[in-house]
Amino acid sequence: MQFNDYRALGFTTLQNGLIAYYPRLNISDAELLLIIQLEAFNQRGESFPSNEKIAANTNLSVTDVGNLIQRLIDQNYLTIEQTTDDQDKIGNKYSLNKLYDALDQYIDQNILIKDDKKDKTVAVTNNLGNNPLNYLSRKVEVEFGRYLSPIEREEIAQWLSVDHYDPEIIELALREAVLSQAYSLKYIDRVLLNWQRHNLKTPEEVERFLKRNR
C-alpha cells in the first residue's frame, strides 16, 4: 500500500497542546491512549464506543479500558452525557470538554505570555520561562530525564515561596546534583540547606564558595 491508500482510513485530529502538556494535567500515557481512541471514534461519528471496541484497537484489555474510563471520569476530564436523536431515542455519548477546558486553563496560565495592559496574548513560550516555577520545573525535568510528580513540583514551589531561594541559586544546586549524578530533589534540598547554613544569599556568593571548595 502507498500513503494515499492509507488516507482512505481517515485521520484523527488532536490538539498539539494535549500532546505536549498532557503530563502536566496528571494524565498517564495509557489515559492519553484512551483519549486518542475516544477522539478517533468520535470523529468517525461514534460518540459512545463500547469498551470492547476500544480494546480491540489497542493492547489494552476490556477491563483496562473500563478502569481508564473511570479514572478520567474521577479526574473530571471525561463525562457521559445523555443524548436524544431525531426519533426521541435516548442514548449516551462521551464528552472530553472538561479535559479541554482544563488544558486551555493550563496553557493560558503557564504557556501564553500576555500583555495585561492590552489584554491580549503577545507570544507563546515553549520553555515556560515567563514563570520561575515553570522554568525551574522544566529545567529539572530536562536534567532528570523524566517528568516531575505534582508533589515534586510543589517542593520546588516551596523553595521559591516559603524558603525564598533565588531561582538562580536553585539552578546552581541542580547543577551540583547533576555533577554528583544525584537525580533527586532531596539532594538538591540538602545542597540548598548547606548553602543557607553558610549564609550564602546570592549566586555570586555561591559561585565563590564552590570555587574555594572544589
Side-chain angles (χ1 to χ4, degrees):
M1 292 180 72
Q2 302 298 315
F3 173 72
N4 284 338
D5 296 320
Y6 287 106
R7 293 177 66 184
L9 297 175
F11 298 90
T12 298
T13 302
L14 293 173
Q15 286 193 23
N16 284 334
L18 176 64
I19 296 171
Y21 301 113
Y22 73 91
R24 302 293 190 181
L25 301 180
N26 202 28
I27 293 173
S28 68
D29 292 350
E31 289 166 344
L32 178 64
L33 174 60
L34 175 64
I35 291 167
I36 292 171
Q37 289 296 323
L38 292 177
E39 280 288 11
F41 275 105
N42 185 63
Q43 291 176 33
R44 294 197 301 268
E46 190 169 353
S47 59
F48 197 67
S50 68
N51 293 2
E52 288 78 10
K53 281 189 175 182
I54 297 173
N57 283 1
T58 70
N59 290 323
L60 301 170
S61 69
V62 174
T63 300
D64 291 335
V65 171
N67 290 337
L68 290 170
I69 287 173
Q70 188 58 54
R71 277 157 53 182
L72 289 175
I73 290 174
D74 291 343
Q75 293 179 84
N76 202 31
Y77 291 149
L78 179 67
T79 58
I80 299 176
E81 300 178 355
Q82 192 174 85
T83 62
T84 305
D85 63 18
D86 295 337
Q87 299 177 346
D88 292 330
K89 185 178 179 181
I90 296 175
N92 293 311
K93 72 173 183 178
Y94 287 118
S95 172
L96 290 164
N97 287 344
K98 290 190 175 181
L99 165 65
Y100 291 118
D101 286 344
L103 178 63
D104 288 345
Q105 183 178 13
Y106 176 81
I107 291 174
D108 184 67
Q109 293 178 352
N110 299 281
I111 308 303
L112 303 180
I113 301 175
K114 297 183 178 182
D115 185 337
D116 292 332
K117 294 181 180 179
K118 297 182 179 179
D119 191 28
K120 68 177 184 179
T121 299
V122 296
V124 177
T125 175
N126 288 325
N127 64 7
L128 313 183
N130 60 318
N131 181 300
L133 173 59
N134 292 325
Y135 173 75
L136 288 169
S137 296
R138 184 57 182 156
K139 287 282 290 186
V140 173
E141 288 177 337
V142 169
E143 294 294 349
F144 284 12
R146 62 174 178 82
Y147 289 111
L148 295 177
S149 69
I151 293 175
E152 290 175 317
R153 186 177 168 85
E154 178 61 27
E155 186 170 356
I156 295 175
Q158 289 183 2
W159 289 341
L160 293 166
S161 62
V162 178
D163 300 314
H164 301 293
Y165 291 129
D166 186 310
E168 290 186 38
I169 289 181
I170 297 174
E171 274 197 80
L172 290 172
L174 171 61
R175 186 184 70 182
E176 291 301 299
V178 172
L179 289 173
S180 300
Q181 297 185 332
Y183 301 101
S184 74
L185 294 191
K186 288 183 178 180
Y187 186 92
I188 296 175
D189 192 53
R190 287 198 297 270
V191 171
L192 291 169
L193 288 172
N194 181 51
W195 293 346
Q196 188 179 58
R197 284 194 292 269
H198 285 84
N199 200 32
L200 305 176
K201 297 180 179 180
T202 68
E204 292 74 21
E205 290 173 345
V206 170
E207 291 281 16
R208 288 194 293 270
F209 175 81
L210 292 173
K211 287 181 181 179
R212 289 196 305 268
N213 292 276
R214 290 296 187 194

